[in-house]
Amino acid sequence: MIGFYNYSVILTYMSLVSAVIGITFAVSGNILVALICLLFSGFCDLFDGRVARAMKNRTDDMKSFGIQIDSLCDLVAFTVLPATIGFCLGGNRILVTFAACLIVLCGVIRLAFFNVLEINRQHENTGGPTIYHGLPVTSTALLVPAFYCLKPLLGTHFPTCYHIYLIIIAILFVTNFSFKKPNKKAFVYSQVVIGIILAIAVILIYVL
């Protein structure tokens, strides 16, 4: 079998599987589970790089494979899944299609650009990146569930607002601005807070 099979890519594969499960639930109309899968994919992505770097005696081919597989899985988890959620929310067909195409396209461009930077960085044997150039695609793991929490406030306008939100995120993927990379602890705390808010929003939507 082609490819590399070791613990350094387990979390990356788990992120992808979670995303695919999320897509199937979104298509079946269960947006809540899809959002939970998105959050879980973000959690896996948070630690997959650390696990990979902890593995000793990784060859250059293994490192390159890790870079490519991470980006491919990120594309599905953090662009295709949010786009699918938007498609399932419905709305103006032109807007829905445009938003879905744009976020996936911009995600591809950003991830390919990141791969180039990461390969060059590894050849130069420099430390991990401390600055983000443009909005990272993994940010949708927080941004999309957080926006969903506004559904009770936006009411019938929520689908349209969601698609516009995706368009803005997509543009930020490829916009040339820089900001300091946040630490992992802050990301985990953010996920917990958003998960709690999401649960409250679901209660407001489906119970009250």
Side-chain angles (χ1 to χ4, degrees):
M1 296 177 65
I2 62 174
F4 296 95
Y5 302 89
N6 51 61
Y7 70 84
S8 67
V9 292
I10 289 178
L11 285 177
T12 304
Y13 291 157
M14 288 176 62
S15 174
L16 176 63
V17 171
S18 176
V20 174
I21 292 173
I23 290 172
T24 62
F25 272 99
V27 171
S28 64
N30 198 329
I31 303 299
L32 172 60
V33 176
L35 291 169
I36 292 174
C37 289
L38 180 57
L39 281 169
F40 183 74
S41 293
F43 183 80
C44 291
D45 182 79
L46 186 64
F47 296 102
D48 61 357
R50 179 178 295 183
V51 171
R53 289 189 293 271
M55 181 179 177
K56 297 180 180 180
N57 301 321
R58 279 200 306 161
T59 65
D60 289 340
D61 285 343
M62 288 182 179
K63 292 178 181 178
S64 296
F65 180 81
I67 294 172
Q68 302 301 328
I69 204 69
D70 183 66
S71 290
L72 290 170
C73 292
D74 285 355
L75 178 66
V76 177
F78 306 118
T79 66
V80 176
L81 176 52
T84 304
I85 291 173
F87 176 81
C88 296
L89 287 174
N92 181 276
R93 186 56 56 193
I94 295 177
L95 181 61
V96 170
T97 304
F98 179 74
C101 290
L102 188 65
I103 193 169
V104 175
L105 175 61
C106 291
V108 168
I109 295 171
R110 175 179 172 76
L111 288 168
F113 181 73
F114 170 81
N115 284 1
V116 173
L117 294 181
E118 183 65 14
I119 291 173
N120 291 338
R121 183 188 66 79
Q122 291 199 3
H123 286 165
E124 296 170 359
N125 293 319
T126 58
T130 58
I131 295 176
Y132 280 132
H133 297 280
L135 186 70
V137 296
T138 53
S139 63
T140 61
L142 292 178
L143 296 178
V144 171
F147 189 78
Y148 188 81
C149 295
L150 299 177
K151 185 177 181 180
L153 299 177
L154 296 174
T156 57
H157 299 291
F158 178 75
T160 300
C161 294
Y162 179 86
H163 301 311
I164 295 173
Y165 187 63
L166 288 190
I167 292 172
I168 294 173
I169 290 175
I171 294 173
L172 292 177
F173 281 167
V174 294
T175 301
N176 188 19
F177 67 94
S178 301
F179 65 96
K180 187 177 180 180
K181 184 176 181 180
N183 59 58
K184 290 180 172 59
K185 183 180 294 186
F187 191 90
V188 172
Y189 287 158
S190 299
Q191 281 198 310
V192 172
V193 171
I194 290 175
I196 294 173
I197 296 174
L198 184 62
I200 295 174
V202 170
I203 293 174
L204 292 175
I205 295 170
Y206 296 105
V207 178
L208 300 182

